[in-house]
Amino acid sequence: MAGARRERDIHAATLELLTEVGYDGLTIEGVAARSGVNKTTIYRWWPSKDALLGSAMVEADVLAIRLPDTGSLRGDLESLLRQIAALLTGPDTSPVVTALLGAATHRPELGEVVRRFFADRLGRELPMFERAVRRGELRDGVDPATVMDLLAGAVWVRALLRGQPPRPAYVRETVDLVLRGCTS
Amino acid sequence: MAGARRERDIHAATLELLTEVGYDGLTIEGVAARSGVNKTTIYRWWPSKDALLGSAMVEADVLAIRLPDTGSLRGDLESLLRQIAALLTGPDTSPVVTALLGAATHRPELGEVVRRFFADRLGRELPMFERAVRRGELRDGVDPATVMDLLAGAVWVRALLRGQPPRPAYVRETVDLVLRGCTS
């Protein structure tokens, strides 16, 4: 693997160029020029544009999430969802998300990169649910993937489709609904 | 307003062209040619491309939802969510959804059309929740918009980001989680 600093520069350059020139305009040559790392060096680590982009999405600081450990499932889910909401709406991150989503809708090969990104995220989130099971908080048979689909989906729909930034009160309400249910 | 049949033809032509040539290529001239309706006639009813597209999204048969009335909130939500899942994954409808989503991510003016579409949908779904309140099924203080964000969001994330078609068992599990909550 690349040295940590060079790898960080390459990932940052990849996501910057994605937002500036779009997926179709993104090239390893462009990333080499922006990051100051030799093109053949980049090709040695990442054999294709999609491999590089996938690595950048998973590893880049700009899309990173700090996995919370607050002592309760409610606290953990609220912290995680606030971070997802911030990613979807923040000035540095929402252009990256928008560029990826726009490209993924008409480039099937990018779909695989996005799928791997979400699988990686879910893998990182699982310990949060394992701790909740050990504390006796989670009902038997509940699939953490479905819980995350619901919560992440709500802030995606709210931010990107309804055009309403998901504020802290909305995050609390959403987590409360998924924890307690909507029935009386 | 246009005669019902001509209006239907115009709406169908609008969404067909959107999927074929994309938002940037969509023109009222193109819709006129495809639908066989005079261009000046279309302009009289819809002053702009966005007005026409907004109308097509809300009114076109291809994106229509039959609002269920099954006698229970669980039955209504499952029926509604199965229909949303079918829209997101069906061969006739998923290209329309994908084209709209891809365009909305880089055309801010289209965002307003998408927002109006989701506001219209929520307005149509509210009677379902009002019936649930009258039956004593819905907990006090639950916002139907948040329930719909969670459920629609889950199938969006599952279908479009995780690349897994939301099957009936997944729809049942998702509705069950939102009704009962995930805690023990």
Side-chain angles (χ1 to χ4, degrees), chain A residues 98 105 136-137 139 146 149 158 162 170 173 178-184, chain B residues 98 105 115 136-137 139 146 149 158 162 170 173 178-184:
Chain A
T98 301
T105 56
E137 291 180 290
R139 188 156 57 74
T146 309
D149 287 352
R158 188 59 62 135
R162 296 204 201 274
Y170 176 77
E173 183 192 340
V178 167
L179 289 172
R180 297 169 62 200
C182 70
T183 48
S184 48
Chain B
T98 301
T105 55
R115 279 193 285 284
E137 292 180 291
R139 189 155 58 75
T146 309
D149 287 352
R158 187 60 61 137
R162 294 203 203 274
Y170 177 76
E173 183 192 340
V178 167
L179 289 172
R180 297 169 62 200
C182 70
T183 48
S184 48

PDB file of all heavy atoms in Angstrom, chain A residues 98 105 136-137 139 146 149 158 162 170 173 178-184, chain B residues 98 105 115 136-137 139 146 149 158 162 170 173 178-184:
ATOM      1  N   THR A  98     -23.628  14.122  -3.841  1.00  0.00           N
ATOM      2  CA  THR A  98     -24.462  14.406  -5.002  1.00  0.00           C
ATOM      3  C   THR A  98     -23.805  13.916  -6.288  1.00  0.00           C
ATOM      4  O   THR A  98     -24.471  13.330  -7.149  1.00  0.00           O
ATOM      5  CB  THR A  98     -24.719  15.927  -5.078  1.00  0.00           C
ATOM      6  OG1 THR A  98     -25.369  16.322  -3.871  1.00  0.00           O
ATOM      7  CG2 THR A  98     -25.591  16.267  -6.254  1.00  0.00           C
ATOM      8  N   THR A 105     -26.539   6.740 -10.805  1.00  0.00           N
ATOM      9  CA  THR A 105     -27.836   6.484 -11.435  1.00  0.00           C
ATOM     10  C   THR A 105     -27.698   6.181 -12.920  1.00  0.00           C
ATOM     11  O   THR A 105     -28.589   5.581 -13.485  1.00  0.00           O
ATOM     12  CB  THR A 105     -28.799   7.675 -11.256  1.00  0.00           C
ATOM     13  OG1 THR A 105     -28.184   8.851 -11.778  1.00  0.00           O
ATOM     14  CG2 THR A 105     -29.165   7.892  -9.799  1.00  0.00           C
ATOM     15  N   GLY A 136     -29.158  -6.041  26.262  1.00  0.00           N
ATOM     16  CA  GLY A 136     -30.573  -6.430  26.277  1.00  0.00           C
ATOM     17  C   GLY A 136     -31.491  -5.377  25.691  1.00  0.00           C
ATOM     18  O   GLY A 136     -32.696  -5.371  25.960  1.00  0.00           O
ATOM     19  N   GLU A 137     -30.953  -4.477  24.863  1.00  0.00           N
ATOM     20  CA  GLU A 137     -31.798  -3.394  24.339  1.00  0.00           C
ATOM     21  C   GLU A 137     -32.542  -3.770  23.065  1.00  0.00           C
ATOM     22  O   GLU A 137     -33.583  -3.198  22.754  1.00  0.00           O
ATOM     23  CB  GLU A 137     -30.932  -2.155  24.038  1.00  0.00           C
ATOM     24  CG  GLU A 137     -30.376  -1.470  25.259  1.00  0.00           C
ATOM     25  CD  GLU A 137     -29.536  -0.269  24.864  1.00  0.00           C
ATOM     26  OE1 GLU A 137     -28.430  -0.465  24.300  1.00  0.00           O
ATOM     27  OE2 GLU A 137     -29.988   0.853  25.112  1.00  0.00           O
ATOM     28  N   ARG A 139     -34.589  -6.026  20.390  1.00  0.00           N
ATOM     29  CA  ARG A 139     -35.552  -7.121  20.299  1.00  0.00           C
ATOM     30  C   ARG A 139     -34.960  -8.251  19.444  1.00  0.00           C
ATOM     31  O   ARG A 139     -34.271  -7.994  18.463  1.00  0.00           O
ATOM     32  CB  ARG A 139     -36.817  -6.539  19.649  1.00  0.00           C
ATOM     33  CG  ARG A 139     -37.995  -7.424  19.614  1.00  0.00           C
ATOM     34  CD  ARG A 139     -39.287  -6.591  19.523  1.00  0.00           C
ATOM     35  NE  ARG A 139     -39.366  -5.678  18.368  1.00  0.00           N
ATOM     36  CZ  ARG A 139     -39.592  -6.068  17.116  1.00  0.00           C
ATOM     37  NH1 ARG A 139     -39.728  -7.328  16.828  1.00  0.00           N
ATOM     38  NH2 ARG A 139     -39.695  -5.187  16.154  1.00  0.00           N
ATOM     39  N   THR A 146     -31.659  -3.533   8.436  1.00  0.00           N
ATOM     40  CA  THR A 146     -32.963  -2.892   8.222  1.00  0.00           C
ATOM     41  C   THR A 146     -33.086  -1.625   9.063  1.00  0.00           C
ATOM     42  O   THR A 146     -33.616  -0.615   8.601  1.00  0.00           O
ATOM     43  CB  THR A 146     -34.095  -3.878   8.542  1.00  0.00           C
ATOM     44  OG1 THR A 146     -33.846  -5.105   7.841  1.00  0.00           O
ATOM     45  CG2 THR A 146     -35.445  -3.342   8.107  1.00  0.00           C
ATOM     46  N   ASP A 149     -31.134   0.915   7.210  1.00  0.00           N
ATOM     47  CA  ASP A 149     -31.861   1.340   6.001  1.00  0.00           C
ATOM     48  C   ASP A 149     -32.914   2.385   6.357  1.00  0.00           C
ATOM     49  O   ASP A 149     -33.068   3.398   5.665  1.00  0.00           O
ATOM     50  CB  ASP A 149     -32.596   0.153   5.352  1.00  0.00           C
ATOM     51  CG  ASP A 149     -31.675  -0.819   4.647  1.00  0.00           C
ATOM     52  OD1 ASP A 149     -30.473  -0.526   4.518  1.00  0.00           O
ATOM     53  OD2 ASP A 149     -32.167  -1.879   4.222  1.00  0.00           O
ATOM     54  N   ARG A 158     -35.333  13.008   3.376  1.00  0.00           N
ATOM     55  CA  ARG A 158     -35.585  14.358   3.886  1.00  0.00           C
ATOM     56  C   ARG A 158     -34.639  15.374   3.232  1.00  0.00           C
ATOM     57  O   ARG A 158     -35.072  16.418   2.740  1.00  0.00           O
ATOM     58  CB  ARG A 158     -35.388  14.312   5.412  1.00  0.00           C
ATOM     59  CG  ARG A 158     -35.754  15.526   6.201  1.00  0.00           C
ATOM     60  CD  ARG A 158     -37.172  16.018   6.121  1.00  0.00           C
ATOM     61  NE  ARG A 158     -38.233  15.163   6.582  1.00  0.00           N
ATOM     62  CZ  ARG A 158     -39.246  15.554   7.350  1.00  0.00           C
ATOM     63  NH1 ARG A 158     -39.312  16.793   7.801  1.00  0.00           N
ATOM     64  NH2 ARG A 158     -40.215  14.725   7.665  1.00  0.00           N
ATOM     65  N   ARG A 162     -36.995  15.622  -0.238  1.00  0.00           N
ATOM     66  CA  ARG A 162     -37.908  16.660   0.259  1.00  0.00           C
ATOM     67  C   ARG A 162     -37.209  18.015   0.368  1.00  0.00           C
ATOM     68  O   ARG A 162     -37.873  19.017   0.600  1.00  0.00           O
ATOM     69  CB  ARG A 162     -38.482  16.279   1.626  1.00  0.00           C
ATOM     70  CG  ARG A 162     -39.363  15.041   1.615  1.00  0.00           C
ATOM     71  CD  ARG A 162     -40.354  15.043   2.783  1.00  0.00           C
ATOM     72  NE  ARG A 162     -40.834  13.699   3.084  1.00  0.00           N
ATOM     73  CZ  ARG A 162     -41.870  13.112   2.482  1.00  0.00           C
ATOM     74  NH1 ARG A 162     -42.531  13.750   1.537  1.00  0.00           N
ATOM     75  NH2 ARG A 162     -42.249  11.899   2.826  1.00  0.00           N
ATOM     76  N   TYR A 170     -35.233  16.545  14.309  1.00  0.00           N
ATOM     77  CA  TYR A 170     -35.720  15.522  13.375  1.00  0.00           C
ATOM     78  C   TYR A 170     -34.975  14.205  13.599  1.00  0.00           C
ATOM     79  O   TYR A 170     -35.588  13.124  13.594  1.00  0.00           O
ATOM     80  CB  TYR A 170     -35.552  16.002  11.936  1.00  0.00           C
ATOM     81  CG  TYR A 170     -35.954  14.964  10.924  1.00  0.00           C
ATOM     82  CD1 TYR A 170     -37.303  14.712  10.653  1.00  0.00           C
ATOM     83  CD2 TYR A 170     -35.006  14.216  10.248  1.00  0.00           C
ATOM     84  CE1 TYR A 170     -37.681  13.746   9.746  1.00  0.00           C
ATOM     85  CE2 TYR A 170     -35.372  13.244   9.339  1.00  0.00           C
ATOM     86  CZ  TYR A 170     -36.710  13.013   9.092  1.00  0.00           C
ATOM     87  OH  TYR A 170     -37.078  12.045   8.195  1.00  0.00           O
ATOM     88  N   GLU A 173     -36.385  12.560  16.692  1.00  0.00           N
ATOM     89  CA  GLU A 173     -37.723  12.027  16.435  1.00  0.00           C
ATOM     90  C   GLU A 173     -37.636  10.719  15.636  1.00  0.00           C
ATOM     91  O   GLU A 173     -38.359   9.751  15.914  1.00  0.00           O
ATOM     92  CB  GLU A 173     -38.513  13.083  15.647  1.00  0.00           C
ATOM     93  CG  GLU A 173     -39.945  12.707  15.369  1.00  0.00           C
ATOM     94  CD  GLU A 173     -40.569  13.652  14.342  1.00  0.00           C
ATOM     95  OE1 GLU A 173     -40.042  14.770  14.139  1.00  0.00           O
ATOM     96  OE2 GLU A 173     -41.575  13.251  13.728  1.00  0.00           O
ATOM     97  N   VAL A 178     -37.990   4.668  15.524  1.00  0.00           N
ATOM     98  CA  VAL A 178     -37.448   3.338  15.218  1.00  0.00           C
ATOM     99  C   VAL A 178     -37.226   2.540  16.506  1.00  0.00           C
ATOM    100  O   VAL A 178     -37.374   1.320  16.521  1.00  0.00           O
ATOM    101  CB  VAL A 178     -36.155   3.462  14.382  1.00  0.00           C
ATOM    102  CG1 VAL A 178     -35.402   2.143  14.327  1.00  0.00           C
ATOM    103  CG2 VAL A 178     -36.496   3.929  12.972  1.00  0.00           C
ATOM    104  N   LEU A 179     -36.904   3.208  17.600  1.00  0.00           N
ATOM    105  CA  LEU A 179     -36.721   2.491  18.863  1.00  0.00           C
ATOM    106  C   LEU A 179     -38.069   2.037  19.439  1.00  0.00           C
ATOM    107  O   LEU A 179     -38.219   0.893  19.852  1.00  0.00           O
ATOM    108  CB  LEU A 179     -36.007   3.380  19.898  1.00  0.00           C
ATOM    109  CG  LEU A 179     -34.525   3.663  19.633  1.00  0.00           C
ATOM    110  CD1 LEU A 179     -34.005   4.698  20.625  1.00  0.00           C
ATOM    111  CD2 LEU A 179     -33.693   2.387  19.747  1.00  0.00           C
ATOM    112  N   ARG A 180     -39.064   2.920  19.465  1.00  0.00           N
ATOM    113  CA  ARG A 180     -40.330   2.647  20.170  1.00  0.00           C
ATOM    114  C   ARG A 180     -41.443   2.186  19.255  1.00  0.00           C
ATOM    115  O   ARG A 180     -42.457   1.659  19.723  1.00  0.00           O
ATOM    116  CB  ARG A 180     -40.811   3.906  20.896  1.00  0.00           C
ATOM    117  CG  ARG A 180     -39.879   4.391  21.980  1.00  0.00           C
ATOM    118  CD  ARG A 180     -40.301   5.777  22.446  1.00  0.00           C
ATOM    119  NE  ARG A 180     -41.636   5.794  23.035  1.00  0.00           N
ATOM    120  CZ  ARG A 180     -42.394   6.884  23.168  1.00  0.00           C
ATOM    121  NH1 ARG A 180     -41.939   8.063  22.732  1.00  0.00           N
ATOM    122  NH2 ARG A 180     -43.586   6.820  23.707  1.00  0.00           N
ATOM    123  N   GLY A 181     -41.342   2.450  17.957  1.00  0.00           N
ATOM    124  CA  GLY A 181     -42.441   2.151  17.048  1.00  0.00           C
ATOM    125  C   GLY A 181     -43.458   3.265  17.048  1.00  0.00           C
ATOM    126  O   GLY A 181     -43.441   4.142  17.912  1.00  0.00           O
ATOM    127  N   CYS A 182     -44.359   3.230  16.060  1.00  0.00           N
ATOM    128  CA  CYS A 182     -45.317   4.332  15.912  1.00  0.00           C
ATOM    129  C   CYS A 182     -46.697   3.973  16.448  1.00  0.00           C
ATOM    130  O   CYS A 182     -47.595   4.807  16.437  1.00  0.00           O
ATOM    131  CB  CYS A 182     -45.394   4.789  14.451  1.00  0.00           C
ATOM    132  SG  CYS A 182     -46.194   3.604  13.354  1.00  0.00           S
ATOM    133  N   THR A 183     -46.876   2.737  16.937  1.00  0.00           N
ATOM    134  CA  THR A 183     -48.211   2.350  17.403  1.00  0.00           C
ATOM    135  C   THR A 183     -48.389   2.660  18.882  1.00  0.00           C
ATOM    136  O   THR A 183     -47.406   2.770  19.633  1.00  0.00           O
ATOM    137  CB  THR A 183     -48.463   0.849  17.156  1.00  0.00           C
ATOM    138  OG1 THR A 183     -47.339   0.109  17.621  1.00  0.00           O
ATOM    139  CG2 THR A 183     -48.662   0.576  15.688  1.00  0.00           C
ATOM    140  N   SER A 184     -49.652   2.799  19.286  1.00  0.00           N
ATOM    141  CA  SER A 184     -49.941   3.198  20.666  1.00  0.00           C
ATOM    142  C   SER A 184     -50.002   1.956  21.561  1.00  0.00           C
ATOM    143  O   SER A 184     -50.020   0.843  21.097  1.00  0.00           O
ATOM    144  CB  SER A 184     -51.257   3.958  20.730  1.00  0.00           C
ATOM    145  OG  SER A 184     -52.251   3.273  20.029  1.00  0.00           O
TER     146      SER A 184
ATOM    147  N   THR B  98     -34.782   6.780 -11.977  1.00  0.00           N
ATOM    148  CA  THR B  98     -33.343   6.983 -12.085  1.00  0.00           C
ATOM    149  C   THR B  98     -33.018   8.261 -12.848  1.00  0.00           C
ATOM    150  O   THR B  98     -32.137   9.029 -12.456  1.00  0.00           O
ATOM    151  CB  THR B  98     -32.715   5.764 -12.790  1.00  0.00           C
ATOM    152  OG1 THR B  98     -33.002   4.600 -12.025  1.00  0.00           O
ATOM    153  CG2 THR B  98     -31.215   5.914 -12.918  1.00  0.00           C
ATOM    154  N   THR B 105     -29.974  15.698  -9.000  1.00  0.00           N
ATOM    155  CA  THR B 105     -28.745  15.897  -8.246  1.00  0.00           C
ATOM    156  C   THR B 105     -27.886  17.011  -8.834  1.00  0.00           C
ATOM    157  O   THR B 105     -27.066  17.573  -8.132  1.00  0.00           O
ATOM    158  CB  THR B 105     -27.891  14.607  -8.169  1.00  0.00           C
ATOM    159  OG1 THR B 105     -27.637  14.143  -9.483  1.00  0.00           O
ATOM    160  CG2 THR B 105     -28.597  13.531  -7.373  1.00  0.00           C
ATOM    161  N   ARG B 115     -39.481  18.126  -4.998  1.00  0.00           N
ATOM    162  CA  ARG B 115     -40.066  18.465  -3.693  1.00  0.00           C
ATOM    163  C   ARG B 115     -41.588  18.544  -3.778  1.00  0.00           C
ATOM    164  O   ARG B 115     -42.288  18.058  -2.910  1.00  0.00           O
ATOM    165  CB  ARG B 115     -39.531  19.820  -3.198  1.00  0.00           C
ATOM    166  CG  ARG B 115     -38.163  19.714  -2.559  1.00  0.00           C
ATOM    167  CD  ARG B 115     -37.797  20.986  -1.813  1.00  0.00           C
ATOM    168  NE  ARG B 115     -37.434  22.082  -2.694  1.00  0.00           N
ATOM    169  CZ  ARG B 115     -36.274  22.176  -3.320  1.00  0.00           C
ATOM    170  NH1 ARG B 115     -35.370  21.226  -3.194  1.00  0.00           N
ATOM    171  NH2 ARG B 115     -36.011  23.217  -4.092  1.00  0.00           N
ATOM    172  N   GLY B 136     -57.384   4.349  16.753  1.00  0.00           N
ATOM    173  CA  GLY B 136     -56.548   4.270  17.963  1.00  0.00           C
ATOM    174  C   GLY B 136     -55.242   3.530  17.761  1.00  0.00           C
ATOM    175  O   GLY B 136     -54.633   3.066  18.722  1.00  0.00           O
ATOM    176  N   GLU B 137     -54.777   3.432  16.503  1.00  0.00           N
ATOM    177  CA  GLU B 137     -53.559   2.654  16.247  1.00  0.00           C
ATOM    178  C   GLU B 137     -52.282   3.473  16.393  1.00  0.00           C
ATOM    179  O   GLU B 137     -51.220   2.911  16.660  1.00  0.00           O
ATOM    180  CB  GLU B 137     -53.599   2.077  14.820  1.00  0.00           C
ATOM    181  CG  GLU B 137     -54.645   1.008  14.609  1.00  0.00           C
ATOM    182  CD  GLU B 137     -54.608   0.512  13.176  1.00  0.00           C
ATOM    183  OE1 GLU B 137     -54.972   1.280  12.252  1.00  0.00           O
ATOM    184  OE2 GLU B 137     -54.215  -0.638  12.976  1.00  0.00           O
ATOM    185  N   ARG B 139     -49.669   6.173  17.870  1.00  0.00           N
ATOM    186  CA  ARG B 139     -49.258   6.825  19.102  1.00  0.00           C
ATOM    187  C   ARG B 139     -49.359   8.344  18.948  1.00  0.00           C
ATOM    188  O   ARG B 139     -49.089   8.881  17.879  1.00  0.00           O
ATOM    189  CB  ARG B 139     -47.810   6.406  19.376  1.00  0.00           C
ATOM    190  CG  ARG B 139     -47.226   6.780  20.676  1.00  0.00           C
ATOM    191  CD  ARG B 139     -46.086   5.820  21.064  1.00  0.00           C
ATOM    192  NE  ARG B 139     -44.994   5.749  20.090  1.00  0.00           N
ATOM    193  CZ  ARG B 139     -44.066   6.686  19.906  1.00  0.00           C
ATOM    194  NH1 ARG B 139     -44.105   7.804  20.593  1.00  0.00           N
ATOM    195  NH2 ARG B 139     -43.088   6.512  19.032  1.00  0.00           N
ATOM    196  N   THR B 146     -42.647  11.656   9.011  1.00  0.00           N
ATOM    197  CA  THR B 146     -41.455  10.928   9.463  1.00  0.00           C
ATOM    198  C   THR B 146     -41.620   9.426   9.220  1.00  0.00           C
ATOM    199  O   THR B 146     -40.677   8.748   8.814  1.00  0.00           O
ATOM    200  CB  THR B 146     -41.185  11.216  10.947  1.00  0.00           C
ATOM    201  OG1 THR B 146     -41.190  12.633  11.136  1.00  0.00           O
ATOM    202  CG2 THR B 146     -39.831  10.672  11.378  1.00  0.00           C
ATOM    203  N   ASP B 149     -40.964   8.989   5.599  1.00  0.00           N
ATOM    204  CA  ASP B 149     -39.520   9.136   5.322  1.00  0.00           C
ATOM    205  C   ASP B 149     -38.784   7.829   5.633  1.00  0.00           C
ATOM    206  O   ASP B 149     -37.932   7.382   4.863  1.00  0.00           O
ATOM    207  CB  ASP B 149     -38.894  10.231   6.205  1.00  0.00           C
ATOM    208  CG  ASP B 149     -39.285  11.638   5.789  1.00  0.00           C
ATOM    209  OD1 ASP B 149     -39.925  11.809   4.737  1.00  0.00           O
ATOM    210  OD2 ASP B 149     -38.941  12.578   6.540  1.00  0.00           O
ATOM    211  N   ARG B 158     -32.272   0.491   0.044  1.00  0.00           N
ATOM    212  CA  ARG B 158     -32.098  -0.916  -0.294  1.00  0.00           C
ATOM    213  C   ARG B 158     -31.998  -1.101  -1.818  1.00  0.00           C
ATOM    214  O   ARG B 158     -31.090  -1.761  -2.315  1.00  0.00           O
ATOM    215  CB  ARG B 158     -33.302  -1.687   0.293  1.00  0.00           C
ATOM    216  CG  ARG B 158     -33.283  -3.181   0.218  1.00  0.00           C
ATOM    217  CD  ARG B 158     -32.152  -3.904   0.901  1.00  0.00           C
ATOM    218  NE  ARG B 158     -31.998  -3.744   2.321  1.00  0.00           N
ATOM    219  CZ  ARG B 158     -31.727  -4.749   3.162  1.00  0.00           C
ATOM    220  NH1 ARG B 158     -31.638  -5.998   2.731  1.00  0.00           N
ATOM    221  NH2 ARG B 158     -31.528  -4.504   4.438  1.00  0.00           N
ATOM    222  N   ARG B 162     -27.944   0.031  -1.893  1.00  0.00           N
ATOM    223  CA  ARG B 162     -27.404  -1.300  -1.600  1.00  0.00           C
ATOM    224  C   ARG B 162     -27.584  -2.244  -2.790  1.00  0.00           C
ATOM    225  O   ARG B 162     -27.023  -3.345  -2.788  1.00  0.00           O
ATOM    226  CB  ARG B 162     -28.072  -1.916  -0.375  1.00  0.00           C
ATOM    227  CG  ARG B 162     -27.782  -1.179   0.921  1.00  0.00           C
ATOM    228  CD  ARG B 162     -27.965  -2.101   2.130  1.00  0.00           C
ATOM    229  NE  ARG B 162     -28.217  -1.342   3.341  1.00  0.00           N
ATOM    230  CZ  ARG B 162     -27.261  -0.831   4.128  1.00  0.00           C
ATOM    231  NH1 ARG B 162     -26.004  -0.976   3.822  1.00  0.00           N
ATOM    232  NH2 ARG B 162     -27.589  -0.165   5.218  1.00  0.00           N
ATOM    233  N   TYR B 170     -38.983  -8.343   2.966  1.00  0.00           N
ATOM    234  CA  TYR B 170     -38.289  -7.149   3.452  1.00  0.00           C
ATOM    235  C   TYR B 170     -39.290  -6.037   3.771  1.00  0.00           C
ATOM    236  O   TYR B 170     -39.167  -5.345   4.790  1.00  0.00           O
ATOM    237  CB  TYR B 170     -37.269  -6.681   2.408  1.00  0.00           C
ATOM    238  CG  TYR B 170     -36.570  -5.408   2.808  1.00  0.00           C
ATOM    239  CD1 TYR B 170     -35.561  -5.426   3.764  1.00  0.00           C
ATOM    240  CD2 TYR B 170     -36.935  -4.182   2.259  1.00  0.00           C
ATOM    241  CE1 TYR B 170     -34.934  -4.262   4.150  1.00  0.00           C
ATOM    242  CE2 TYR B 170     -36.314  -3.013   2.644  1.00  0.00           C
ATOM    243  CZ  TYR B 170     -35.311  -3.066   3.600  1.00  0.00           C
ATOM    244  OH  TYR B 170     -34.699  -1.909   3.987  1.00  0.00           O
ATOM    245  N   GLU B 173     -40.931  -6.848   7.068  1.00  0.00           N
ATOM    246  CA  GLU B 173     -40.002  -6.639   8.184  1.00  0.00           C
ATOM    247  C   GLU B 173     -39.850  -5.146   8.487  1.00  0.00           C
ATOM    248  O   GLU B 173     -39.808  -4.733   9.653  1.00  0.00           O
ATOM    249  CB  GLU B 173     -38.643  -7.243   7.785  1.00  0.00           C
ATOM    250  CG  GLU B 173     -37.592  -7.173   8.866  1.00  0.00           C
ATOM    251  CD  GLU B 173     -36.204  -7.506   8.304  1.00  0.00           C
ATOM    252  OE1 GLU B 173     -36.113  -8.138   7.224  1.00  0.00           O
ATOM    253  OE2 GLU B 173     -35.215  -7.095   8.942  1.00  0.00           O
ATOM    254  N   VAL B 178     -41.149  -0.423  12.053  1.00  0.00           N
ATOM    255  CA  VAL B 178     -41.660   0.930  12.277  1.00  0.00           C
ATOM    256  C   VAL B 178     -42.913   0.898  13.159  1.00  0.00           C
ATOM    257  O   VAL B 178     -43.145   1.815  13.953  1.00  0.00           O
ATOM    258  CB  VAL B 178     -41.919   1.648  10.931  1.00  0.00           C
ATOM    259  CG1 VAL B 178     -42.730   2.912  11.119  1.00  0.00           C
ATOM    260  CG2 VAL B 178     -40.589   1.976  10.264  1.00  0.00           C
ATOM    261  N   LEU B 179     -43.709  -0.154  13.055  1.00  0.00           N
ATOM    262  CA  LEU B 179     -44.902  -0.244  13.905  1.00  0.00           C
ATOM    263  C   LEU B 179     -44.523  -0.566  15.359  1.00  0.00           C
ATOM    264  O   LEU B 179     -45.022   0.060  16.289  1.00  0.00           O
ATOM    265  CB  LEU B 179     -45.856  -1.327  13.373  1.00  0.00           C
ATOM    266  CG  LEU B 179     -46.592  -1.008  12.075  1.00  0.00           C
ATOM    267  CD1 LEU B 179     -47.341  -2.247  11.578  1.00  0.00           C
ATOM    268  CD2 LEU B 179     -47.570   0.148  12.267  1.00  0.00           C
ATOM    269  N   ARG B 180     -43.633  -1.541  15.565  1.00  0.00           N
ATOM    270  CA  ARG B 180     -43.360  -2.052  16.918  1.00  0.00           C
ATOM    271  C   ARG B 180     -42.097  -1.476  17.538  1.00  0.00           C
ATOM    272  O   ARG B 180     -41.898  -1.601  18.745  1.00  0.00           O
ATOM    273  CB  ARG B 180     -43.202  -3.574  16.886  1.00  0.00           C
ATOM    274  CG  ARG B 180     -44.443  -4.313  16.447  1.00  0.00           C
ATOM    275  CD  ARG B 180     -44.111  -5.782  16.176  1.00  0.00           C
ATOM    276  NE  ARG B 180     -43.626  -6.465  17.361  1.00  0.00           N
ATOM    277  CZ  ARG B 180     -42.918  -7.601  17.346  1.00  0.00           C
ATOM    278  NH1 ARG B 180     -42.592  -8.161  16.205  1.00  0.00           N
ATOM    279  NH2 ARG B 180     -42.517  -8.163  18.462  1.00  0.00           N
ATOM    280  N   GLY B 181     -41.211  -0.931  16.716  1.00  0.00           N
ATOM    281  CA  GLY B 181     -39.922  -0.477  17.242  1.00  0.00           C
ATOM    282  C   GLY B 181     -38.942  -1.628  17.338  1.00  0.00           C
ATOM    283  O   GLY B 181     -39.321  -2.791  17.219  1.00  0.00           O
ATOM    284  N   CYS B 182     -37.659  -1.290  17.533  1.00  0.00           N
ATOM    285  CA  CYS B 182     -36.623  -2.334  17.512  1.00  0.00           C
ATOM    286  C   CYS B 182     -36.171  -2.711  18.912  1.00  0.00           C
ATOM    287  O   CYS B 182     -35.335  -3.601  19.073  1.00  0.00           O
ATOM    288  CB  CYS B 182     -35.437  -1.903  16.654  1.00  0.00           C
ATOM    289  SG  CYS B 182     -34.449  -0.577  17.362  1.00  0.00           S
ATOM    290  N   THR B 183     -36.720  -2.064  19.951  1.00  0.00           N
ATOM    291  CA  THR B 183     -36.237  -2.381  21.309  1.00  0.00           C
ATOM    292  C   THR B 183     -37.063  -3.502  21.939  1.00  0.00           C
ATOM    293  O   THR B 183     -38.205  -3.745  21.542  1.00  0.00           O
ATOM    294  CB  THR B 183     -36.297  -1.131  22.208  1.00  0.00           C
ATOM    295  OG1 THR B 183     -37.566  -0.514  22.061  1.00  0.00           O
ATOM    296  CG2 THR B 183     -35.223  -0.149  21.812  1.00  0.00           C
ATOM    297  N   SER B 184     -36.444  -4.167  22.926  1.00  0.00           N
ATOM    298  CA  SER B 184     -37.115  -5.321  23.536  1.00  0.00           C
ATOM    299  C   SER B 184     -38.016  -4.837  24.669  1.00  0.00           C
ATOM    300  O   SER B 184     -37.954  -3.710  25.093  1.00  0.00           O
ATOM    301  CB  SER B 184     -36.085  -6.315  24.053  1.00  0.00           C
ATOM    302  OG  SER B 184     -35.108  -5.648  24.809  1.00  0.00           O
TER     303      SER B 184
END
